[in-house]
């Protein structure tokens, strides 16, 4: 397997909707190009899905919410796909079991790719024949939905490949240089009454609004992400075995699952190694730590005499800053470290994924996209080395359960002033 650098993407605002659609679909094709049919079938846990399912599901999304609604007398290439590749949209009909997606050997990959091509042609034909803004809005949503699945595709694949004792690499490009060392430091931010949430200009998910006022005390954010070297100091100081540092649920989970290092780490000949999309490699001490849960991040912050930021603090600090960082387009597929609030790893916040004041999900099945997940999860900000840069804006909220580790999840420290 060998994944070349992801093609350059222009700003979404510069693109007609048909070109955004073509570009998004081409990026997915680029990501799966190195994979064999066997690779495309891998599912290593319930939280992850096979690459084959990802490319089928994102295609189903365009068919289900656009073609079936806006093309008169529409006929699907295969009505069975509506059950096989629905994810969690209850109002859209029955769904195949999530934990058994890796068992969908039929239809074969060639049929899924043919389905993908037919739906692409139908969407482009529809865009050529209609000026209905509702269609354009849904195609834009479908593109951003597919961008989310591009990130999931590569991180799900990483988890699956990590279970192979041969430790196969997805990307065999030349090794990355070591990340640069960065000095510690915190930047102060003035609080007060501030506004967060999407301002209505350009695309955003429903959960990013309405824009609203919050109050912040003065605070400081670290100038850099927590690094692997920092994390090893935490480990050597008994961070994983000291219950005083941990939330009760977190320590119970860490004990039950025998956590003693970030996911994918192991010690060999007195050196820490990690498994990445480039295969096995020694842990780069200066690179941002990744694949740590909220529980681990919270324990580390307490050990460091700091805390995790709120999502309001992060957004207030990031608003107006250039979205410049290590994203999927770089082709690195690993955190590298930079003096930027953006990229490398998603940054845990203490904020629960909850509705903003006045939030109302859209009517119908499309309203199930975010709203029904607003419980028991934490918000992360900033994007990662597996996130398409086109996804990013200061108001963007992703969310995961506090025990999850397989995504590119890291942390930035905060302090009270």
């Amino acid at each position: 397997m060998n994944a070349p650098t992801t093609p350059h993407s222009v700003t979404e605002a510069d693109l007609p909707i048909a070109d955004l659609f073509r570009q998004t679909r081409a990026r997915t094709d680029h990501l799966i190009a190195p994979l064999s049919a066997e690779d495309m079938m891998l599912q290593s846990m319930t939280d992850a899905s096979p690459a084959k399912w990802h490319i089928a599901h994102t295609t189903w999304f365009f068919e289900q919410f656009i073609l079936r609604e806006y093309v008169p007398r529409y006929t699907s290439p295969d009505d069975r796909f509506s059950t096989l590749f629905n994810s969690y949209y209850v109002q859209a009909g029955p769904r195949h079991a999530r934990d058994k997606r890796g068992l969908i050997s039929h239809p074969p990959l060639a049929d899924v790719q043919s389905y993908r091509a037919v739906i692409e042609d139908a969407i482009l034909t529809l865009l050529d024949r209609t000026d209905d803004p509702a269609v354009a809005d849904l195609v834009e949503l479908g593109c951003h939905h597919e961008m989310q699945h591009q990130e999931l595709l590569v991180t799900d694949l990483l988890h699956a490949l990590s279970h192979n004792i041969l430790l196969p690499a997805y990307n065999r490009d030349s090794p990355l240089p070591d990340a640069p060392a960065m000095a510690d430091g915190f930047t102060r931010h003035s609080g007060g009454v501030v506004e967060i949430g999407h301002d209505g200009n350009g695309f955003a998910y429903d959960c990013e609004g309405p824009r609203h006022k919050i109050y912040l005390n003065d605070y400081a954010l670290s100038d850099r992400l927590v690094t692997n070297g920092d994390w090893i100091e935490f480990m050597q100081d008994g961070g994983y075995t000291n219950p005083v540092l941990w939330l009760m649920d977190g320590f119970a989970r860490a004990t039950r699952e025998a956590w003693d290092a970030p996911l994918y780490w192991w010690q060999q000949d007195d050196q820490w190694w990690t498994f990445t999309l480039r295969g096995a490699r020694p842990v780069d001490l200066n690179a941002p730590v990744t694949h740590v849960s909220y529980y681990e991040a919270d324990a580390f912050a307490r050990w460091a005499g700091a805390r995790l930021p709120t999502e309001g603090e992060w957004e207030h600090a990031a608003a107006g800053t250039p979205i410049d960082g290590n994203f999927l387009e770089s082709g690195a597929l690993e955190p590298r470290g930079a003096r930027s609030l953006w990229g490398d790893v998603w940054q845990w916040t203490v904020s629960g994924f909850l509705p903003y004041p006045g939030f109302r999900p859209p009517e119908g099945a499309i309203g199930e996209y975010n709203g029904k997940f607003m419980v028991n999860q934490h918000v992360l900000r900033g994007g990662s080395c597996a996130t398409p840069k086109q996804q990013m804006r200061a108001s963007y909220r992703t969310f995961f359960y506090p025990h999850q580790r397989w995504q590119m999840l890291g942390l930035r420290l905060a302090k009270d002033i």
Side-chain angles (χ1 to χ4, degrees):
M1 291 176 285
N2 186 27
T5 301
T6 303
H8 172 70
S9 298
V10 298
T11 304
E12 179 189 328
D14 298 333
L15 288 176
I17 194 65
D19 290 343
L20 174 65
F21 176 74
R22 291 188 185 95
Q23 184 189 87
T24 303
R25 302 290 278 181
R27 186 189 296 118
T28 300
D29 292 341
H30 177 85
L31 290 172
I32 65 171
L35 303 180
S36 68
E38 291 82 3
D39 294 325
M40 296 281 288
M41 283 287 295
L42 294 173
Q43 182 180 24
S44 51
M45 62 174 173
T46 301
D47 285 338
S49 298
K52 176 182 171 181
W53 185 90
H54 283 298
I55 68 169
H57 167 70
T58 51
T59 302
W60 168 90
F61 189 96
F62 287 105
E63 180 185 35
Q64 177 66 34
F65 294 114
I66 302 171
L67 298 180
R68 290 184 185 275
E69 294 295 323
Y70 290 94
V71 175
R73 298 177 297 280
Y74 175 76
T75 301
S76 175
D78 194 325
D79 283 325
R80 299 173 300 171
F81 290 6
S82 63
T83 297
L84 285 175
F85 303 124
N86 183 359
S87 54
Y88 51 73
Y89 297 90
V90 176
Q91 296 175 70
R95 299 156 307 287
H96 182 75
R98 181 179 181 182
D99 62 342
K100 294 180 173 59
R101 291 171 181 168
L103 301 179
I104 306 176
S105 58
H106 295 273
L109 178 59
D111 287 5
V112 169
Q113 291 173 319
S114 175
Y115 170 60
R116 187 172 173 84
V118 169
I119 299 305
E120 283 182 14
D121 287 345
I123 290 290
L124 290 169
T125 297
L126 177 62
L127 287 173
D128 188 52
R129 293 177 177 176
T130 183
D131 57 1
D132 187 340
V135 171
D137 288 348
L138 284 169
V139 172
E140 186 175 33
L141 174 62
C143 289
H144 281 266
H145 169 256
E146 182 149 345
M147 291 179 211
Q148 290 182 315
H149 279 271
Q150 290 165 355
E151 178 166 6
L152 290 169
L153 190 157
V154 296
T155 52
D156 290 357
L157 180 68
L158 171 63
H159 191 269
L161 294 177
S162 75
H163 289 271
N164 187 325
I165 61 171
L166 300 179
L167 299 178
Y170 164 73
N171 187 336
R172 294 189 184 277
D173 287 348
S174 57
L176 293 172
D178 288 342
M182 294 180 61
D184 291 331
F186 281 78
T187 297
R188 295 172 60 107
H189 298 274
S190 297
V193 177
V194 303
E195 288 191 349
I196 66 168
H198 193 255
D199 62 8
N201 294 314
F203 176 83
Y205 293 113
D206 56 5
C207 65
E208 296 176 50
R211 190 164 178 82
H212 60 287
K213 292 181 174 65
I214 62 170
Y215 182 82
L216 298 176
N217 292 316
D218 295 348
Y219 65 100
L221 286 184
S222 175
D223 295 330
R224 64 172 177 84
L225 296 161
V226 170
T227 68
N228 292 322
D230 299 329
W231 203 268
I232 289 173
E233 290 183 32
F234 168 70
M235 293 159 55
Q236 291 174 338
D237 197 38
Y240 276 93
T241 58
N242 184 353
V244 174
L245 299 174
W246 290 72
L247 297 168
M248 180 181 290
D249 285 350
F251 195 71
R253 171 77 68 160
T255 301
R256 183 168 66 251
E257 299 189 7
W259 293 350
D260 61 2
L263 183 64
Y264 307 132
W265 282 32
W266 71 94
Q267 202 164 24
Q268 179 177 318
D269 299 328
D270 296 323
Q271 183 176 21
W272 284 102
W273 284 68
T274 186
F275 182 68
T276 75
L277 287 162
R278 292 171 178 265
R281 56 182 296 169
V283 168
D284 183 345
L285 299 183
N286 294 325
V289 69
T290 189
H291 304 301
V292 294
S293 67
Y294 174 82
Y295 293 136
E296 292 164 284
D298 179 77
F300 179 94
R302 196 170 289 111
W303 171 82
R307 61 175 175 82
L308 300 178
T310 68
E311 66 168 324
E313 289 172 335
W314 191 95
E315 183 172 332
H316 175 58
T321 64
I323 302 176
D324 183 20
N326 176 20
F327 295 106
L328 178 65
E329 288 83 352
S330 77
L333 296 173
E334 291 183 31
R336 307 308 305 141
R339 285 194 176 276
S340 172
L341 282 170
W342 303 90
D344 275 320
V345 294
W346 285 105
Q347 300 162 47
W348 284 108
T349 76
V350 296
S351 301
F353 182 54
L354 298 171
Y356 286 158
F359 169 77
R360 296 289 184 274
E363 296 293 329
I366 205 74
E368 298 182 53
Y369 199 114
N370 287 306
K372 68 182 185 181
F373 297 105
M374 291 177 168
V375 64
N376 299 335
Q377 305 199 65
H378 278 265
V379 171
L380 299 97
R381 294 300 194 110
S384 83
C385 57
T387 309
K389 183 177 179 180
Q390 284 176 307
Q391 281 269 277
M392 298 316 303
R393 53 203 164 267
S395 60
Y396 189 95
R397 312 166 81 196
T398 199
F399 49 94
F400 288 99
Y401 290 102
H403 67 276
Q404 291 178 316
R405 311 169 88 203
W406 93 107
Q407 290 299 306
M408 302 289 185
L409 310 176
L411 67 153
R412 181 185 304 275
L413 298 178
K415 288 184 177 181
D416 298 318
I417 300 299

